[in-house]
Amino acid sequence: YPVPGEPEIETVRAGVARAKSEGCDFVIGIGGGSALDAGKAIAAMLANDGDLFDYLEVVGKGRALAKPSAPCIAIPTTAGTGSEVTRNSVLASPEQRLKVSLRSPYLLPAVALVDPELTYELSPEITASTGLDALTQLIEPFVCSRANPVTDALCREGMPRAARSLPKAFSNGDDRGARQDMAVASLFGGLALANAGLGAVHVLAGPMGGMFPAPHGALCAALLPHVMETNLRALRERQPGNEAISRYDEVARLLTGKAGAVADDGVEWVGRLVADLRIPRLGTYGIRREATNEIVGKAATASSMNANPVTLTPEELTQILERAL
């Protein structure tokens, strides 16, 4: 059952109908985050009564799943989302121009099979966008307000792997060591976000993904350096004693490999990486300045803002978007 792009609600509904008509007992999701999220949602609805809207957040009734999902095996073929180890499925609702979540502990796949060899043939463009998504999902949980010792350990191990190997995987997809590093970094990012949280990059990327035909990883990549810079400025101005400032210093040391690096060095390093990997600006996807108010309005209610190390104002979110356009 093909999932050609980021899964829509109807993609899952049709998949459930197909699975039931074929008498399927379990689901294997193989592909990028879109295929894995669709597989997780189909497995959940195979085992639970009612309609998908009974369980969806925001656009549905938000009920808890009553029964465990049908067994689901998740096999990622990109190194990016970490969806194989998360407890939610992100689905697009084109009518509302939103991306919403089906969320439950039952969404966690029974088996996550992570094999770097499945990523060898990824194009440089997909390697770059998914890899920067993985890096984002290591940085944001590390500096977020819900960071904890377990996720800290995952992020401290994952960030240097992504820093040393993403450029290598981009320039030479057959570099086995680089592909292995990125597979591990992606896995650790998924575990970290599931057990700590994310931040303003995902606060903004979520609404944009529902409004425009843009890959999630590419949106995160374009936003990351601007969010880091804005978070740091807001922290220094409004919460100078916040631990997240020193955590951004540590991020810089982990990314650059330099013992004396400070937070601003990390922002500069990420900005250079985004440029070196030829990440398109947001305007490439039809996102224009006129849409910023709607994006920021939707972002204000996103759950990821609760974990961002500092609450950003609508003006600050607008500035991030304008710099990334």
Side-chain angles (χ1 to χ4, degrees), residues 210-277:
M211 295 168 61
F212 298 93
H216 172 75
L219 296 178
C220 290
L223 291 166
L224 179 58
H226 305 292
V227 167
M228 292 173 68
E229 181 182 11
T230 302
N231 273 347
L232 274 167
R233 185 171 60 252
L235 286 163
R236 288 163 174 163
E237 290 175 357
R238 300 198 290 273
Q239 299 179 26
N242 194 311
E243 181 191 357
I245 297 174
S246 62
R247 283 179 171 263
Y248 271 117
D249 289 332
E250 186 172 354
V251 167
R253 294 192 290 272
L254 291 167
L255 294 179
T256 66
K258 297 178 180 178
V262 295
D264 295 316
D265 299 322
V267 175
E268 182 181 351
W269 186 93
V270 171
R272 284 199 307 271
L273 179 65
V274 167
D276 290 344
L277 299 187

Side-chain angles (χ1 to χ4, degrees), residues 38-101:
K40 288 155 63 177
I42 290 168
M45 293 309 300
L46 264 180
N48 283 272
D49 299 326
D51 184 76
L52 184 57
F53 275 99
D54 294 332
Y55 306 102
L56 283 173
E57 298 177 349
V58 184
V59 299
K61 297 178 182 178
R63 293 177 181 169
L65 292 173
K67 302 174 185 177
S69 299
C72 179
I73 300 173
I75 308 174
T77 61
T78 66
T81 67
S83 179
E84 67 273 12
V85 288
T86 63
R87 299 183 290 267
N88 70 305
S89 173
V90 180
L91 307 176
S93 177
E95 294 81 7
Q96 290 89 356
R97 302 179 77 207
L98 290 171
K99 289 172 74 171
V100 296
S101 282

Side-chain angles (χ1 to χ4, degrees), residues 65-282:
L65 292 173
K67 302 174 185 177
S69 299
C72 179
I73 300 173
I75 308 174
T77 61
T78 66
T81 67
S83 179
E84 67 273 12
V85 288
T86 63
R87 299 183 290 267
N88 70 305
S89 173
V90 180
L91 307 176
S93 177
E95 294 81 7
Q96 290 89 356
R97 302 179 77 207
L98 290 171
K99 289 172 74 171
V100 296
S101 282
L102 178 65
R103 199 182 304 271
S104 169
Y106 293 144
L107 266 291
L108 191 67
V111 174
L113 179 58
V114 181
D115 184 350
E117 290 190 24
L118 298 177
T119 68
Y120 286 179
E121 296 183 5
L122 287 179
S123 69
E125 293 77 16
I126 295 177
T127 297
S129 61
T130 56
L132 278 161
D133 188 21
L135 180 60
T136 302
Q137 291 171 174
L138 291 162
I139 294 173
E140 289 203 301
F142 188 71
V143 301
C144 83
S145 61
R146 299 173 186 162
N148 59 74
V150 173
T151 58
D152 284 352
L154 293 166
C155 295
R156 286 182 173 119
E157 177 68 21
M159 277 187 271
R161 287 178 180 264
R164 72 189 179 217
S165 291
L166 180 51
K168 294 178 183 177
F170 175 77
S171 60
N172 178 13
D174 294 327
D175 188 321
R176 296 189 174 203
R179 290 298 193 186
Q180 179 169 322
D181 265 352
M182 289 310 302
V184 173
S186 175
L187 173 65
F188 284 7
L191 290 167
L193 75 88
N195 292 282
L198 291 164
V201 172
H202 284 79
V203 165
L204 291 167
M208 282 192 288
M211 295 168 61
F212 298 93
H216 172 75
L219 296 178
C220 290
L223 291 166
L224 179 58
H226 305 292
V227 167
M228 292 173 68
E229 181 182 11
T230 302
N231 273 347
L232 274 167
R233 185 171 60 252
L235 286 163
R236 288 163 174 163
E237 290 175 357
R238 300 198 290 273
Q239 299 179 26
N242 194 311
E243 181 191 357
I245 297 174
S246 62
R247 283 179 171 263
Y248 271 117
D249 289 332
E250 186 172 354
V251 167
R253 294 192 290 272
L254 291 167
L255 294 179
T256 66
K258 297 178 180 178
V262 295
D264 295 316
D265 299 322
V267 175
E268 182 181 351
W269 186 93
V270 171
R272 284 199 307 271
L273 179 65
V274 167
D276 290 344
L277 299 187
R278 300 195 291 272
I279 295 298
R281 299 186 71 81
L282 297 181

